[in-house]
Amino acid sequence: MSLPDFKAVTVEYAVRMTNGSHIDNDILLLDEIALTPLPREPRRMQSLFLALCTNGRARYFVDSVEHVVEAGDIIIINPGRVTYDCTMSPDCRGIGIIIDYEFFKEIIKSVHELSALFLFARNHPVFRMPSHRAHFIAETFARMKAKMDEESNHFRREMVQSLFLTMVYELCNEIYNVQSGNDERHTRAEEIFTQFILLVEKNFRTERRVSWYSEQLCISPKYLSETVKTVSKRTPNDWIDSYVTIELRMLFRNTQKSIKEIAQDLNFSNQSFLGKYFKEHVGMSPSEYRRK
């Protein structure tokens, strides 16, 4: 099933909103994080977002999980994630990059390890960078922006790609260091959690049974529940329900589909059952939510 046509955070959208330094609709640089067009209402990321907070605090939700960012923190939001309720303190400062995911994959296509390391961001969308590495990220960003603004440079695109890859290497080196500090058991648990989340992202519209997910991972439902709870402090049902609830909220708010049609799209047995499910998790009926 294709994703609904929700308002999405794309590079094209971000360029229209900010008019920052950019190359086509492939990559946008923001030297003032406060200008980042992250939404208050739920929006699905259709691009990769990277940012470094250098001062102040920010708060936002990704897939119903709250994250708080402070100076020295790196933010990574992968495509497909739903983000909302983004707020920043008046003194919040930092830099940000919004990059088309196909363009990102083109840049790192020869480095297989980088793709695997970026799965780390699904479990750790915010992590602290040592000050000297954060300084390197900021310096590399400044060089990228200088070349991006040099429109007469025949090799502008290639130079920006090269500098971005350098930045990604620095980020992934720190990710590697964090992962190396984990013991084997914790690493295995995070691997199971990552596989579970990937399955949920692809299948939550049709499957809400924990037993189905455990079968796909060839482990018992009990072991899956214990592992997911250990890594994320939330149960598998919590994660599945959060994906379903966010999807319902966006469908009710951003489409003209009837409640019956939405119930069919998300594999609810009938409209009444969807209404009970939504009220249990959101606190109001679908009709009340639409009116609000």
Side-chain angles (χ1 to χ4, degrees), residues 66-83:
E66 181 181 21
H67 301 285
V68 176
V69 178
E70 298 180 336
D73 285 343
I74 289 286
I75 306 165
I76 303 177
I77 306 179
N78 284 319
R81 315 303 291 273
V82 175
T83 183

Side-chain angles (χ1 to χ4, degrees), residues 212-226:
W212 184 88
Y213 290 96
S214 67
E215 287 174 9
Q216 307 311 304
L217 296 171
C218 300
I219 58 178
S220 70
K222 181 180 179 182
Y223 184 59
L224 175 61
S225 296
E226 291 174 348

Side-chain angles (χ1 to χ4, degrees), residues 16-17 21 25 55 61 63 101-102 109 118 146 152 169 192 197 214 216 229 244-245 257 284 287:
R16 290 201 313 269
M17 294 294 291
S21 299
N25 290 321
N55 193 71
F61 285 79
D63 295 338
Y101 198 58
E102 293 304 315
K109 63 185 177 183
F118 255 78
S152 62
Y169 269 122
I192 290 173
I197 291 297
S214 67
Q216 307 311 304
K229 186 72 179 291
V244 174
T245 303
K257 287 188 174 184
M284 63 184 75
S287 299

Side-chain angles (χ1 to χ4, degrees), residues 87-215:
T87 58
M88 300 180 187
S89 64
D91 62 341
C92 186
R93 299 289 183 274
I95 55 178
I97 301 173
I98 300 177
I99 181 168
D100 177 77
Y101 198 58
E102 293 304 315
F103 186 62
F104 169 75
K105 288 192 292 185
E106 176 188 334
I107 294 173
I108 69 165
K109 63 185 177 183
S110 62
V111 191
H112 302 295
E113 188 180 22
L114 294 184
S115 297
L117 285 172
F118 255 78
L119 285 175
F120 173 91
R122 293 181 178 275
N123 306 347
H124 306 83
V126 176
F127 64 97
R128 181 60 53 90
M129 287 288 282
S131 58
H132 67 288
R133 298 198 186 282
H135 183 66
F136 180 85
I137 294 293
E139 282 189 334
T140 307
F141 177 93
R143 289 188 173 93
M144 283 177 61
K145 187 175 187 304
K147 288 302 171 187
M148 192 173 286
D149 292 340
E150 194 178 318
E151 296 187 8
S152 62
N153 191 319
H154 181 71
F155 297 102
R156 178 175 72 120
R157 184 183 186 89
E158 290 77 10
M159 294 180 76
V160 168
Q161 288 177 311
S162 180
L163 287 165
F164 179 77
L165 183 58
T166 299
M167 181 185 293
V168 170
Y169 269 122
E170 188 71 8
L171 285 172
C172 286
N173 178 67
E174 188 58 30
I175 291 171
Y176 179 80
N177 290 338
V178 172
Q179 288 184 322
S180 298
N182 292 340
D183 59 36
E184 184 176 350
R185 181 173 178 274
H186 191 52
T187 300
R188 172 59 179 157
E190 290 200 339
E191 181 183 341
I192 290 173
F193 174 69
T194 298
Q195 292 173 346
F196 167 70
I197 291 297
L198 289 171
L199 278 172
V200 173
E201 287 179 355
K202 291 180 180 179
N203 299 284
F204 73 87
R205 295 173 186 84
T206 55
E207 280 294 344
R208 290 186 288 277
R209 296 171 297 146
V210 174
S211 60
W212 184 88
Y213 290 96
S214 67
E215 287 174 9

